Amino acid sequence: MPLLTPWGEALDPENVLPEYPRPQLVRSGWTNLNGYWDYAFTSASRTAEPEDWDGKILVPFSPEASLSGVERQLQPGDALWYRRTFALPDGPGERVMLHFGAVDQSCAVYVNGQEAGTHDGGYLPFAFDVTGLLGAGQQELVVRVLDGTDTNGASRGKQKLERGGIWYTAQSGIWQTVWLEKVPQTWIRDVVITPLDSLDGVEITVVAGGSAREAGAVDGADVESGAADGGAFDSDKAVRDLPAQVTVYADGVAVAAAAYIPGEPIRLALPDPRLWSPEDPFLYDVRVRLGTDEVQSYFGLRTFGTGPDSAGHQRLLLNGKPYLHAGLLDQGYWPDGLYTPPSDEAMVFDIQTAKDLGFSMLRKHIKIEPLRWYHHCDRIGMLVWQDMVNGGMGEGRAPEPVPLPGRGSRSDRRYVRFGRSDPAGRAAFRREMGSAVELLRSVPSIAVWVPFNEGWGQFDAADIAAELRALDPTRSIDHASGWHDQGAGDAKSLHVYAVPFRIRRRWQRDPRAIVLSEYGGFSLPVEGHTWNNKVFGYGKTLHSSAELERAYTALHRTQIEPALQQGLAATVYTQLTDVEDEVNGLLTYDRRVLKLDANVVRAVNADLVRAFSGN
């Protein structure tokens, strides 16, 4: 029997992830295409639609996930095909957009036998304008997917065909919501919102799609080029003269409004500004109109950065003040859905549980989540450290003879040693990093970007940090989490397991903030709630909740609290949940058991805050 979460157990196949998938750009009138599709596995050499289909797959769960109903691994030499029909969406609008939340790894999309376009990269959303491919009556949609997983240099996170230990089941194909929407000839493609450093207003840039004069290739951060008719935004007079208005609301009351020109930023002052924080995650609502198009968005008024506290220790700042990021490593894996959470409520459960335990941050580990996950962090009040997704060949980590805290870093320009000898793979990482920043730029809760973890697929990390800074100067950067520090970014980032942790004098002389970006990892398997009979963790395996509570409390009392007083700026405990062989979560993999008393964890976290603030 597969291990099921409560939400997977209660899943209604006729109502899979029904929520609007893009919370910061909500448009009325959309059609959810999740549900049962036809599927077939063929040789990767086959490029024609299969004549025979293998059965039904529940989209958006990957075929490897038990909730898909398939439970078959897509191999590098195979192609995975999907097929379904759909009706034209109702409502106003001249153009029909076909959206994919994410497809792992490479895909080609066909509508009524004609190619709508292709996409490469398994973690980012994309869309096609399919208006010119539509006919009368029912429409046919076919998707062909290839996935090399760890046999090529593509971004893959912790997926591995031969899973085990810290490497998890490889998943493939469609793993986020597929949906349709109708838009006018010229539509709102993006709304970029950046709080001002003065914290009394925001800068808003509305990005338009479509063209007033001619059809051409659709472009943009989430719109792929394809064979369908579309249009890049044209700033000619006809488009610039469209009615364009932005209105900001606080608790339903309009507090600021202005006209705008698409593509040009405007600044809005906010009276009596209310700041966003984990303690008060207040969100302003935004309504944007462009011609006949209208979308709803939101933002939180906050700033991030680094700076010294009263004792001279370099700290992470929230709204200009030192703030302790007390976090958990969050892998975003599910025993029944793999990369795909079985429901919106399941995502909320993870975030709310961390918040209720007294944590203020989740480090989203080497995965980009569906946009609704970030929305829940925004509204619940949970800071996010966002990892980029690693790629490269092999483990991609240069050997380190003495893997002790802060020692043994190697130059990451030795591409062969880091599994990054392929220039195309390095270029793809840079391209995907830029797209991830564009996708998540306006998310209030994201505080720190983490481009590389423990050297996996690491290369030119100092240059990458500079590129990230240019893309987004509003957030902090942990350029090399754990290993192979290149002296860049805003953090001296350390991973410490199984050996005592203490602050070293040379770290205190580093101009960057000292962060313990992984530690702990105590293992406790809970009978009846494990994914298999293997046990993997860091250090010895514990045998009871009481034993885990003693070890967890002692670690924080004797090591973490003194380190916070001596300059430690952030902590990331491993980890929120068990994941496959790893049984070092605070929660079991099925999310049914919290392994230690919630009051114990809350008390430890309260003491960490006091130690950080010097009380």
Side-chain angles (χ1 to χ4, degrees):
M1 288 291 293
L3 188 66
L4 293 174
T5 63
W7 310 277
E9 191 172 53
L11 182 70
D12 177 5
E14 302 301 321
N15 195 35
V16 181
L17 295 166
E19 296 82 10
Y20 192 85
R22 196 179 54 193
Q24 282 192 293
L25 196 68
V26 177
R27 181 181 285 109
S28 62
W30 70 291
T31 302
N32 193 323
L33 297 183
N34 292 342
Y36 282 114
W37 297 38
D38 298 322
Y39 83 92
F41 286 82
T42 71
S43 167
S45 61
R46 183 185 180 99
T47 57
E49 180 179 327
E51 298 175 359
D52 299 311
W53 296 82
D54 297 343
K56 297 291 185 180
I57 183 170
L58 188 58
V59 170
F61 299 105
S62 69
E64 295 83 2
S66 61
L67 290 179
S68 73
V70 176
E71 296 186 81
R72 175 176 170 179
Q73 178 75 62
L74 178 63
Q75 297 295 324
D78 295 338
L80 170 63
W81 294 80
Y82 295 83
R83 181 184 67 177
R84 67 159 292 158
T85 60
F86 65 90
L88 291 177
D90 296 328
E94 294 81 23
R95 313 207 70 81
V96 177
M97 309 299 296
L98 172 62
H99 294 267
F100 292 83
V103 180
D104 190 6
Q105 170 74 49
S106 301
C107 70
V109 178
Y110 305 87
V111 175
N112 295 327
Q114 301 180 70
E115 185 178 288
T118 61
H119 179 78
D120 186 65
Y123 293 84
L124 295 167
F126 58 97
F128 302 110
D129 183 340
V130 297
T131 310
L133 305 180
L134 301 174
Q138 289 289 306
Q139 318 295 316
E140 183 189 60
L141 171 59
V142 172
V143 181
R144 177 179 179 268
V145 178
L146 302 175
D147 188 359
T149 310
D150 56 333
T151 64
N152 57 32
S155 299
R156 64 180 183 275
K158 299 189 79 173
Q159 303 180 69
K160 204 165 188 177
L161 289 171
E162 295 185 12
R163 55 147 307 280
I166 65 170
W167 305 106
Y168 312 141
T169 299
Q171 64 97 66
S172 56
I174 299 170
W175 67 274
Q176 290 189 31
T177 293
V178 185
W179 52 291
L180 292 163
E181 67 176 348
K182 294 183 76 174
V183 299
Q185 189 69 32
T186 299
W187 73 94
I188 300 164
R189 183 162 60 79
D190 198 8
V191 179
V192 180
I193 307 176
T194 305
L196 302 180
D197 290 341
S198 56
L199 289 170
D200 58 0
V202 291
E203 181 179 278
I204 299 178
T205 303
V206 178
V207 181
S211 172
R213 295 182 301 175
E214 58 185 355
V218 177
D219 70 353
D222 69 335
V223 183
E224 293 290 315
S225 296
D229 288 342
F233 170 64
D234 189 329
S235 59
D236 63 14
K237 187 177 187 299
V239 176
R240 294 170 70 92
D241 286 347
L242 286 174
Q245 181 84 11
V246 172
T247 308
V248 176
Y249 298 85
D251 288 328
V253 178
V255 295
Y260 68 89
I261 296 173
E264 298 184 11
I266 60 169
R267 291 193 171 193
L268 294 175
L270 300 174
D272 303 317
R274 184 170 170 182
L275 305 188
W276 183 96
S277 69
E279 292 72 28
D280 182 20
F282 180 78
L283 298 173
Y284 287 87
D285 294 314
V286 181
R287 184 178 67 183
V288 182
R289 290 179 175 174
L290 177 64
T292 60
D293 199 15
E294 180 176 313
V295 300
Q296 306 292 326
S297 189
Y298 70 85
F299 66 88
L301 193 59
R302 86 293 174 265
T303 59
F304 300 113
T306 59
D309 64 10
S310 58
H313 300 308
Q314 195 74 0
R315 300 299 196 185
L316 299 176
L317 305 180
L318 172 61
N319 300 328
K321 298 178 181 179
Y323 191 90
L324 174 62
H325 293 212
L328 290 167
L329 197 70
D330 181 4
Q331 312 267 10
Y333 263 81
W334 304 83
D336 42 16
L338 295 181
Y339 262 5
T340 309
S343 72
D344 211 53
E345 293 77 15
M347 288 187 271
V348 171
F349 176 84
D350 276 10
I351 300 163
Q352 190 65 59
T353 297
K355 182 74 177 287
D356 291 345
L357 291 173
F359 293 97
S360 59
M361 175 262 283
L362 292 171
R363 179 182 168 199
K364 180 50 61 178
H365 197 36
I366 324 182
K367 181 193 178 192
I368 296 173
E369 288 286 2
L371 291 175
R372 292 196 62 82
W373 184 87
Y374 301 96
H375 169 63
H376 293 310
C377 289
D378 294 339
R379 66 173 189 83
I380 290 171
M382 181 61 66
L383 297 172
V384 175
W385 288 21
Q386 179 61 56
D387 288 13
M388 298 300 170
V389 183
N390 65 283
M393 298 297 294
E395 291 191 14
R397 181 167 62 189
E400 184 166 270
V402 187
L404 294 176
R407 296 184 183 178
S409 291
R410 300 291 185 260
S411 169
D412 60 10
R413 296 187 184 278
R414 300 186 300 172
Y415 300 147
V416 174
R417 300 293 296 276
F418 282 83
R420 279 296 194 180
S421 57
D422 178 19
R426 300 197 301 273
F429 178 88
R430 282 186 153 100
R431 183 174 60 252
E432 290 170 0
M433 180 180 73
S435 296
V437 172
E438 290 299 316
L439 174 70
L440 302 173
R441 181 187 300 278
S442 299
V443 173
S445 54
I446 294 180
V448 176
W449 298 116
V450 186
F452 296 114
N453 176 76
E454 291 188 353
W456 302 343
Q458 182 175 326
F459 68 97
D460 299 341
D463 293 341
I464 293 293
E467 292 174 26
L468 255 179
R469 185 85 68 204
L471 289 167
D472 179 13
T474 70
R475 294 179 171 92
S476 301
I477 298 170
D478 178 2
H479 82 301
S481 182
W483 290 25
H484 304 304
D485 181 7
Q486 307 299 303
D490 300 298
K492 175 67 177 177
S493 187
L494 306 159
H495 292 186
V496 179
Y497 294 107
V499 296
F501 176 73
R502 62 181 179 85
I503 296 292
R504 302 176 187 273
R505 288 182 181 271
R506 67 178 181 275
W507 300 346
Q508 293 174 318
R509 295 191 293 269
D510 196 302
R512 301 168 298 171
I514 304 169
V515 302
L516 185 55
S517 47
E518 287 188 31
Y519 74 105
F522 296 129
S523 296
L524 175 63
V526 178
E527 186 176 355
H529 299 276
T530 56
W531 193 72
N532 58 22
N533 58 6
K534 296 181 180 180
V535 174
F536 180 88
Y538 301 94
K540 66 178 182 179
T541 301
L542 307 178
H543 300 93
S544 68
S545 291
E547 192 176 357
L548 176 59
E549 287 173 8
R550 288 193 295 271
Y552 184 86
T553 302
L555 170 65
H556 289 87
R557 295 277 187 269
T558 63
Q559 298 180 38
I560 307 305
E561 286 184 28
L564 289 169
Q565 294 168 345
Q566 296 163 16
L568 181 63
T571 60
V572 182
Y573 182 83
T574 302
Q575 58 185 324
L576 175 61
T577 75
D578 293 350
V579 185
E580 300 195 357
D581 297 356
E582 292 193 52
V583 290
N584 49 14
L586 297 183
L587 290 164
T588 55
Y589 197 15
D590 58 8
R591 274 71 166 178
R592 295 178 187 268
V593 178
L594 179 63
K595 298 182 187 179
L596 64 177
D597 191 300
N599 290 323
V600 170
V601 183
R602 281 193 286 267
V604 166
N605 278 327
D607 287 343
L608 294 185
V609 172
R610 283 191 284 270
F612 177 84
S613 60
N615 297 329

